[in-house]
Amino acid sequence: MTDIAQEELEEQILKWAEDYARKNGWTLNPDDKQLQTVIRGLARNTIRFGEQYCPCRLRSGDAEEDKKIVCPCIYHRDEVENEGQCHCRLYFQKTDA
Ligand code: SF4
């Protein structure tokens, strides 16, 4: 996979994440550097493992078990609701500031 292909994939994932956040009434991490790090990790995992695995969680190696941590993982709604953000700091609750 070339750097260009990785960059294109990152753009696609960013658009997907923006769309997903908007649909849920959330925002993405306002810190662009942190956001790019997560997006890059998602793109790398997609290229390496064929699934958009969470870059902040450990894969068990069991494909069935690891479906839980394909982004958006099964934990993210609770995390955004209870902690204001998902574990990776990709999705954030909107603040009324
Ligand atoms: S913690 Fe966030 S970035 Fe990681 S898989 Fe869950 S929703 Fe995606």
Side-chain angles (χ1 to χ4, degrees):
M1 183 76 51
T2 62
D3 286 353
I4 305 242
Q6 159 106 19
E7 275 173 32
E8 279 176 5
L9 186 56
E10 285 173 21
E11 271 175 39
Q12 281 172 26
I13 292 173
L14 179 60
K15 279 196 193 123
W16 164 81
E18 281 169 349
D19 195 45
Y20 187 76
R22 194 167 37 241
K23 281 182 186 152
N24 282 284
W26 304 332
T27 56
L28 297 184
N29 192 330
D31 181 323
D32 200 51
K33 220 172 159 191
Q34 287 182 7
L35 175 61
Q36 288 306 329
T37 301
V38 179
I39 298 290
R40 192 169 306 130
L42 288 168
R44 274 199 192 128
N45 282 345
T46 305
I47 291 165
R48 264 186 218 160
F49 307 111
E51 293 285 0
Q52 191 172 272
Y53 289 120
C54 183
C56 316
R57 300 183 194 273
L58 286 178
R59 282 169 304 106
S60 71
D62 177 324
E64 198 54 38
E65 180 68 17
D66 287 344
K67 279 183 187 166
K68 293 178 185 166
I69 59 162
V70 172
C71 188
C73 62
I74 63 162
Y75 311 104
H76 76 293
R77 281 190 191 280
D78 279 353
E79 290 171 344
V80 173
E81 200 169 304
N82 298 321
E83 293 156 38
Q85 65 213 37
C86 73
H87 183 58
C88 266
R89 300 172 62 81
L90 175 60
Y91 297 115
F92 276 65
Q93 236 173 48
K94 263 191 184 156
T95 48
D96 298 325

PDB file of all heavy atoms in Angstrom, residues 29 38 51 88:
ATOM      1  N   ASN A  29     -12.895  14.978  17.886  1.00  0.00           N
ATOM      2  CA  ASN A  29     -11.898  15.620  18.754  1.00  0.00           C
ATOM      3  C   ASN A  29     -11.490  16.973  18.156  1.00  0.00           C
ATOM      4  O   ASN A  29     -11.056  17.042  17.003  1.00  0.00           O
ATOM      5  CB  ASN A  29     -10.668  14.703  18.859  1.00  0.00           C
ATOM      6  CG  ASN A  29      -9.717  15.140  19.957  1.00  0.00           C
ATOM      7  OD1 ASN A  29      -9.624  16.319  20.272  1.00  0.00           O
ATOM      8  ND2 ASN A  29      -9.022  14.183  20.521  1.00  0.00           N
ATOM      9  N   VAL A  38      -5.651   9.251  15.573  1.00  0.00           N
ATOM     10  CA  VAL A  38      -6.645   8.171  15.634  1.00  0.00           C
ATOM     11  C   VAL A  38      -7.045   7.745  14.220  1.00  0.00           C
ATOM     12  O   VAL A  38      -7.103   6.554  13.909  1.00  0.00           O
ATOM     13  CB  VAL A  38      -7.904   8.600  16.433  1.00  0.00           C
ATOM     14  CG1 VAL A  38      -8.924   7.480  16.469  1.00  0.00           C
ATOM     15  CG2 VAL A  38      -7.523   8.996  17.846  1.00  0.00           C
ATOM     16  N   GLU A  51      -9.835  -4.813   8.719  1.00  0.00           N
ATOM     17  CA  GLU A  51     -10.959  -4.290   9.506  1.00  0.00           C
ATOM     18  C   GLU A  51     -10.503  -3.005  10.176  1.00  0.00           C
ATOM     19  O   GLU A  51      -9.333  -2.859  10.530  1.00  0.00           O
ATOM     20  CB  GLU A  51     -11.390  -5.277  10.609  1.00  0.00           C
ATOM     21  CG  GLU A  51     -12.002  -6.561  10.109  1.00  0.00           C
ATOM     22  CD  GLU A  51     -13.421  -6.415   9.599  1.00  0.00           C
ATOM     23  OE1 GLU A  51     -13.985  -5.303   9.617  1.00  0.00           O
ATOM     24  OE2 GLU A  51     -13.961  -7.442   9.163  1.00  0.00           O
ATOM     25  N   CYS A  88     -10.751   6.377  22.584  1.00  0.00           N
ATOM     26  CA  CYS A  88      -9.703   6.897  21.691  1.00  0.00           C
ATOM     27  C   CYS A  88      -9.725   8.412  21.556  1.00  0.00           C
ATOM     28  O   CYS A  88      -8.900   8.965  20.839  1.00  0.00           O
ATOM     29  CB  CYS A  88      -9.918   6.355  20.285  1.00  0.00           C
ATOM     30  SG  CYS A  88      -9.021   4.884  19.920  1.00  0.00           S
TER      31      CYS A  88
END
